[in-house]
Amino acid sequence: MFDEQIDGIFEDLADDLAELRVVLEPLQALVPEGFFQLCDDHGRICSLPENFNIEPEVRSRLLADARRAHTLISFERDGQRFYGYRLPGSETILLFQLPQLTDDLLVDSFTRDGFVNTIQLALLNRINQETVIENRQLQRHIKGLGLQHQKLIDENYEQYQRIQEKEKEYARKLESEIARQTRELREANIRLEEASRMKGEFLANMSHELRTPMNAIIGFAGLLAESSLDEEQADFVETIRKSSASLLVLINDILDLAKIEAGKLDLEEIPFDLHGLLKSVTDMFRSQALDKNNKVMFVQDQKLPAKFMGDENRLRQVLINLTGNAMKFTKNGTVDVLADFVKQEGDRFAIRFAVSDSGIGIPPDRQAAIFEKFTQADGSTTRKYGGTGLGLSISCQLVELMHGEVQLESAEGKGSTFFFVISLPKAVDEAPSEAPKIVTAESGDEVKRKLRVLVVEDNLVNQKLATLLVKRQGCEVDVAGDGFQALEKLRQFQFDLILMDVQMPKMDGHEATRKIREIEATSARIKYAGLAGIDPVEIVGLTAHARKEDEQKCYDSGMNGFLTKPIERDKLNEILQKRSH
Ligand code: ADP
């Protein structure tokens, strides 16, 4: 076991000459007057002291002997004795000469073994020393490595802290950037909301401004229709009424564009008569067709039922847009409005609506562009034909809401066909569809009692119209131009009904109503005290807006009901009759 370890050491040590020397040095140190020579199996030689040498042939013989023997061998040269010793487990031979060593001594196995042990001990000591040194070096190295490690840890930690700091800094910047952007977005949002609110207000005002003259046109045309007219005049008035009614629908629909774009337009689902719809659309263009020498007609597929469920007004708007365009761009030709059967699935019918003309047509490179808002086929269109470039875009969006798509087939100089396919359910009950909201001369019974009605309206034309409509029902009418005047009138006279315009200068209808209700409340207390007071009066608001919130506003301010402008005569009469009983 011990030998094996030594063997290993010797094998390692004998690797090169420097290492041979390392083996010799402890022996030299042990026996300074001796000399030693190592000769490894590669023939490398190392001697101590260095100037000592043995002739090669002496060495060879000694080596050969030593290789054969497993113990110390001796050899004499020039009266001197040399010894050889094969290092255990290796082919390396140690030659040495020691003055005090004699053959006699080596004959004694005890002495010999002692000598060999001494050599081995010396070697081991040396190796031990080296191991200690190496150990120390190793320790130093480990310590160095430890320091390096610590340094690395410190550096890493510093780096980590720097990164942390940077991350924190970055996070701070990011947070402040996000906060800034959020603030900007919030501000932009507020601005947008404000713009949207202003747009809404603008639309509401526009709606009022547009409806006021329409109110007058429709109302007076209705009154005119009731006067004694010859056939032709009656026809003209009828055309004025119908066209203005359609125009009103159109105005409403254009205002609805904002709604469509805001995704706030809901389609209605009410029964309507397809034939009636197609007829009303083509009828609208009869006089225009006459002027332009066009033939206008509509064809309804026989396979289609008479009544459908859907949004008749929106469908009408689309057909009016398309037919209007067809008429505009056609002269001495034809304009056809078609409703074709495509297929039936249960109660639903796919219908292909088409408006076809033999007009100027649209060049292929402009066919896509004209569907964009405010875009016309070419720059001269507005000059020549007028228009805003809005109609097609509105139509497309409305048809999209109906799950269809407006398409175009056109050839320059030959004409155009705009068409779309939508699916509509057949109307379940064959009840007549809602009549178009046109004021009719026949409607309305005389009211039973003479009512005193106060018309509060700032617009003189509307004042006159409302007065006439109310008078027609046998009522007494008084007028006030704004809320102040209305309060003044109320102090002087008793009224059964007030028709109160909502939008007025100085004091609007809502404020006036609130004031009237306050006065009535005080008056009730006066009456309670046995004095004369004012009886509560019924107030019906007149509003240009038919929106839910406008309706609510009327009730909130204390009104009992409301009518939208243009005033529908039937509805006004209904109110007057109810009040007179
Ligand atoms: P507007 O008619 O008010 O200009 P539209 O959006 O309805 O707006 O139409 C856009 C453009 O498309 C028209 O200006 C015209 O150049 C072209 N266009 C539409 N319909 C026809 C048609 N039937 N024949 C020829 N050109 C048409």
Side-chain angles (χ1 to χ4, degrees):
M1 172 70 185
F2 177 74
D3 276 358
E4 275 169 26
Q5 283 177 358
I6 299 247
D7 290 356
I9 293 164
F10 281 130
E11 272 171 28
D12 290 345
L13 290 175
D15 260 3
D16 65 31
L17 226 53
E19 284 165 357
L20 290 179
R21 189 182 172 86
V22 168
V23 176
L24 288 187
E25 270 168 1
L27 292 172
Q28 185 71 73
L30 205 69
V31 192
E33 63 276 28
F35 91 90
F36 304 88
Q37 190 178 72
L38 266 179
C39 180
D40 73 0
D41 49 343
H42 306 299
R44 291 176 301 182
I45 292 165
C46 178
S47 305
L48 285 179
E50 272 162 14
N51 52 5
F52 179 85
N53 222 341
I54 303 175
E55 291 87 352
E57 62 278 13
V58 175
R59 183 187 304 117
S60 309
R61 209 171 53 236
L62 198 58
L63 288 181
D65 287 349
R67 275 194 190 104
R68 267 194 307 275
H70 288 284
T71 180
L72 279 173
I73 52 151
S74 67
F75 171 72
E76 190 175 302
R77 188 181 67 104
D78 300 336
Q80 288 186 43
R81 197 143 279 281
F82 294 91
Y83 299 91
Y85 175 68
R86 185 158 68 97
L87 299 184
S90 100
E91 285 299 300
T92 304
I93 308 293
L94 171 70
L95 295 178
F96 57 93
Q97 188 193 34
L98 299 174
Q100 65 270 49
L101 197 65
T102 63
D103 278 354
D104 307 341
L105 281 173
L106 287 178
V107 171
D108 173 21
S109 74
F110 183 77
T111 316
R112 196 182 60 231
D113 288 350
F115 180 70
V116 168
N117 284 344
T118 307
I119 294 170
Q120 289 183 348
L121 190 68
L123 287 172
L124 275 177
N125 274 342
R126 172 65 189 172
I127 290 158
N128 236 351
Q129 264 177 19
E130 281 188 0
T131 309
V132 170
I133 291 166
E134 270 177 17
N135 235 346
R136 267 196 221 115
Q137 281 172 349
L138 216 59
Q139 292 284 352
R140 271 201 297 277
H141 193 60
I142 287 170
K143 206 173 159 194
L145 280 178
L147 287 172
Q148 264 181 17
H149 186 224
Q150 188 57 44
K151 205 174 149 203
L152 271 178
I153 287 174
D154 292 347
E155 279 175 8
N156 268 351
Y157 184 66
E158 271 171 32
Q159 212 164 344
Y160 167 77
Q161 278 184 321
R162 274 201 300 274
I163 289 170
Q164 284 266 328
E165 202 43 56
K166 269 190 187 155
E167 271 179 7
K168 273 191 205 150
E169 175 72 20
Y170 183 67
R172 269 199 298 277
K173 272 189 189 157
L174 207 65
E175 267 171 29
S176 78
E177 181 63 11
I178 288 171
R180 190 183 63 79
Q181 284 189 9
T182 312
R183 203 172 46 246
E184 278 178 14
L185 276 177
R186 209 173 285 137
E187 282 165 11
N189 212 17
I190 290 169
R191 280 199 298 277
L192 271 179
E193 273 172 11
E194 177 64 11
S196 161
R197 196 184 55 75
M198 279 168 70
K199 190 176 153 194
E201 258 174 34
F202 170 76
L203 283 174
N205 288 340
M206 272 300 283
S207 156
H208 177 76
E209 297 303 323
L210 292 169
R211 278 163 189 261
T212 304
M214 284 310 298
N215 189 21
I217 295 169
I218 293 170
F220 282 109
L223 289 171
L224 194 59
E226 284 170 28
S227 59
S228 52
L229 300 171
D230 64 30
E231 208 178 305
E232 198 184 25
Q233 285 171 329
D235 186 37
F236 289 167
V237 172
E238 191 57 18
T239 309
I240 294 175
R241 280 175 41 192
K242 280 188 179 165
S243 305
S244 48
S246 298
L247 185 57
L248 184 65
V249 172
L250 209 63
I251 289 168
N252 287 340
D253 289 346
I254 289 174
L255 290 168
D256 277 340
L257 179 67
K259 266 199 200 167
I260 299 176
E261 295 192 340
K264 285 183 179 158
L265 188 123
D266 299 319
L267 290 181
E268 286 189 316
E269 183 121 332
I270 46 167
F272 71 92
D273 178 62
L274 181 60
H275 184 273
L277 166 68
L278 298 175
K279 185 173 181 313
S280 73
V281 171
T282 42
D283 277 355
M284 257 192 79
F285 293 96
R286 293 241 173 262
S287 67
Q288 207 179 328
L290 217 64
D291 292 347
K292 302 189 82 176
N293 196 28
N294 284 334
K295 276 202 184 87
V296 58
M297 62 171 212
F298 71 93
V299 181
Q300 180 183 351
D301 199 320
Q302 291 299 308
K303 280 187 281 210
L304 291 171
K307 291 197 164 114
F308 287 96
M309 296 294 289
D311 198 325
E312 183 189 8
N313 282 333
R314 300 298 174 203
L315 203 49
R316 179 182 284 110
Q317 184 182 352
V318 173
L319 292 174
I320 286 173
N321 268 333
L322 299 180
T323 314
N325 278 347
M327 197 58 78
K328 194 153 66 168
F329 299 103
T330 308
K331 225 176 170 182
N332 307 322
T334 55
V335 173
D336 298 327
V337 181
L338 312 165
D340 286 320
F341 170 87
V342 179
K343 64 174 178 180
Q344 181 183 0
E345 266 169 16
D347 262 1
R348 294 192 80 87
F349 286 77
I351 312 167
R352 181 184 190 268
F353 287 94
V355 176
S356 206
D357 67 63
S358 61
I360 60 169
I362 301 155
D365 61 325
R366 299 299 298 159
Q367 288 185 9
I370 57 165
F371 289 99
E372 302 287 325
K373 265 187 282 180
F374 307 108
T375 310
Q376 300 184 319
D378 71 65
S380 64
T381 305
T382 313
R383 263 199 322 280
K384 257 203 244 164
Y385 302 98
T388 56
L390 260 181
L392 272 179
S393 155
I394 294 172
S395 302
C396 285
Q397 296 194 57
L398 287 174
V399 171
E400 252 171 52
L401 283 174
M402 297 175 197
H403 308 292
E405 188 196 355
V406 179
Q407 294 178 60
L408 165 65
E409 276 166 10
S410 183
E412 250 183 302
K414 293 205 171 125
S416 318
T417 300
F418 287 85
F419 62 95
F420 56 92
V421 177
I422 54 169
S423 159
L424 293 177
K426 192 172 88 170
V428 188
D429 62 332
E430 289 285 294
S433 60
E434 224 178 70
K437 291 176 178 173
I438 296 170
V439 181
T440 58
E442 307 76 45
S443 58
D445 299 329
E446 283 276 301
V447 295
K448 302 280 180 293
R449 188 167 63 86
K450 240 190 182 185
L451 296 178
R452 278 190 59 80
V453 178
L454 177 63
V455 172
V456 190
E457 165 70 76
D458 62 311
N459 183 293
L460 290 181
V461 183
N462 285 345
Q463 239 181 40
K464 204 164 145 194
L465 177 64
T467 307
L468 277 171
L469 288 175
V470 176
K471 267 194 182 153
R472 281 283 157 108
Q473 298 303 314
C475 306
E476 271 180 34
V477 188
D478 205 341
V479 290
D482 58 45
F484 284 115
Q485 284 182 21
L487 291 176
E488 203 46 49
K489 290 269 177 198
L490 262 185
R491 278 191 193 104
Q492 296 169 28
F493 310 105
Q494 196 93 35
F495 292 98
D496 299 299
L497 179 75
I498 299 177
L499 294 179
M500 177 80 79
D501 184 25
V502 164
Q503 205 169 342
M504 285 181 299
K506 294 189 193 159
M507 185 192 285
D508 71 14
H510 295 303
E511 203 188 332
T513 305
R514 273 192 293 274
K515 287 242 159 29
I516 291 170
R517 297 301 181 221
E518 272 170 29
I519 293 168
E520 284 170 356
T522 332
S523 168
R525 284 198 295 279
I526 292 171
K527 270 181 156 182
Y528 183 71
L531 299 166
I534 305 169
D535 285 329
V537 63
E538 185 170 336
I539 304 175
V540 172
L542 301 177
T543 164
H545 319 304
R547 297 172 306 190
K548 263 259 158 297
E549 66 237 51
D550 300 308
E551 190 181 324
Q552 193 54 46
K553 248 177 126 181
C554 287
Y555 289 120
D556 289 349
S557 62
M559 292 178 186
N560 306 87
F562 76 98
L563 281 172
T564 46
K565 294 206 277 185
I567 300 174
E568 285 179 52
R569 215 166 141 193
D570 286 352
K571 288 192 175 155
L572 174 66
N573 292 349
E574 212 178 287
I575 290 170
L576 293 174
Q577 277 163 34
K578 240 199 268 165
R579 193 67 194 83
S580 70
H581 287 304

